[in-house]
Structure formats: C-alpha cells, structure tokens
Amino acid sequence: MMDVDLAEWYGVSTRALVQAVKRNRDRFPKDFMLELTPHDAEILRSQSVISRSTHGGRRTVPYAFTEQGIAMLSSVLRSQRAIRVNIEIMRAFVRVRRMLRPTATLMRKIGEMERKYDTQFGVVFEAIRELMGPPAGPRRRIGFRG
C-alpha cells in the first residue's frame, strides 16, 4: 500500500508518516517497505492523472508498504486511530488470503489435470498422425470379383 493512502487512513499527513518511518528506519527493512524509483513514481503519477497536492504535486518519491510494514506502522504511529485502522487493515489481509485459498487449490487441481491428461492426449494425437499418414502396404481389394 502507498504511503499517501495509509496516511489518509491513519489521519496524519504523508509527510508526518514518512518522517515517523525515517526516524525508526531500523524497524522497516527492505521486505517491509520500499521507496519507489523516480520512473515508478512517474508511472504512478500518470495513472492517477492529477496530483494530490495543491502546490504542484509531490516532490519526493513515494513509499510502498508490505503487510509487515503496515503492521510495523502501528508501533511507530501510536494514536488510537492508527491502532484501530491497523487492526482493520490486518483483518482485510486475512480476508484476502481466505478468498485466495480456493483459487490456489483450483490452480493446483488444474495443474494436476493438465499433467494427467497431456499424456493421454498425446496418445490420441499420435493415433491421429498415424491415420493421416500414407497406408502401410498394398490394400486388399474389397467387393465382388468376377
């Protein structure tokens, strides 16, 4: 999730959120948070069409937080609202995982079916190739001989 969205939910400015993160940098390793590259930020800006600031848009590249990084934000932002919002975000992650679980099972079953039936269809295709090829030898005449 992006820092600007999290700041809005937590009821703080983006600047305050980023400042709190920078003051506690050791709590946010690379797998908890990453700073977008200027190129990524430009793509993001072009997708949102308008800038969020009334002063010509954001001047720094945004941060993106993983689930673990969002959980860590609750220890950095200590307001009651931050705690409540964080709990709801964690619950949302759990709901998403529950929704994805049947999809993962379905994908596994499809993979098993592909492996199983690819060999069977290989036999069918080989039989079709044999039927399409030239006859093996002289054919015996069918019908009345007079």
Side-chain angles (χ1 to χ4, degrees), residues 70-136:
I70 293 168
M72 189 59 71
L73 278 172
S74 67
S75 68
V76 173
L77 303 171
R78 295 183 167 247
S79 71
Q80 286 299 318
R81 179 176 176 163
I83 292 167
R84 287 193 314 273
V85 167
N86 204 342
I87 289 169
E88 290 306 315
I89 290 172
M90 293 301 113
R91 287 179 176 155
F93 277 119
V94 169
R95 285 191 298 270
V96 167
R97 266 196 235 84
R98 283 184 189 148
M99 288 181 352
L100 292 177
R101 194 176 307 142
T103 304
T105 303
L106 179 61
M107 293 303 292
R108 184 181 47 78
K109 287 182 180 179
I110 289 172
E112 290 171 2
M113 288 174 61
E114 285 178 339
R115 284 188 293 278
K116 178 180 177 182
Y117 293 115
D118 277 353
T119 56
Q120 290 179 358
F121 282 116
V123 171
V124 171
F125 288 132
E126 185 60 35
I128 290 171
R129 278 190 216 97
E130 287 178 19
L131 290 172
M132 291 173 57

Side-chain angles (χ1 to χ4, degrees), residues 3-42:
D3 57 3
V4 66
D5 299 317
L6 290 167
E8 184 177 330
W9 289 355
Y10 288 131
V12 298
S13 68
T14 306
R15 182 175 180 238
L17 185 137
V18 171
Q19 189 176 39
V21 169
K22 286 183 177 181
R23 287 182 181 156
N24 297 279
R25 192 67 179 166
D26 55 325
R27 292 179 182 252
F28 295 93
K30 289 183 180 185
D31 57 329
F32 281 29
M33 176 194 76
L34 62 106
E35 189 174 5
L36 272 63
T37 65
H39 177 70
D40 293 335
E42 184 60 37

Side-chain angles (χ1 to χ4, degrees), residues 132-146:
M132 291 173 57
R139 295 181 66 174
R140 196 178 103 204
R141 283 184 59 116
I142 300 176
F144 179 74
R145 292 184 203 172

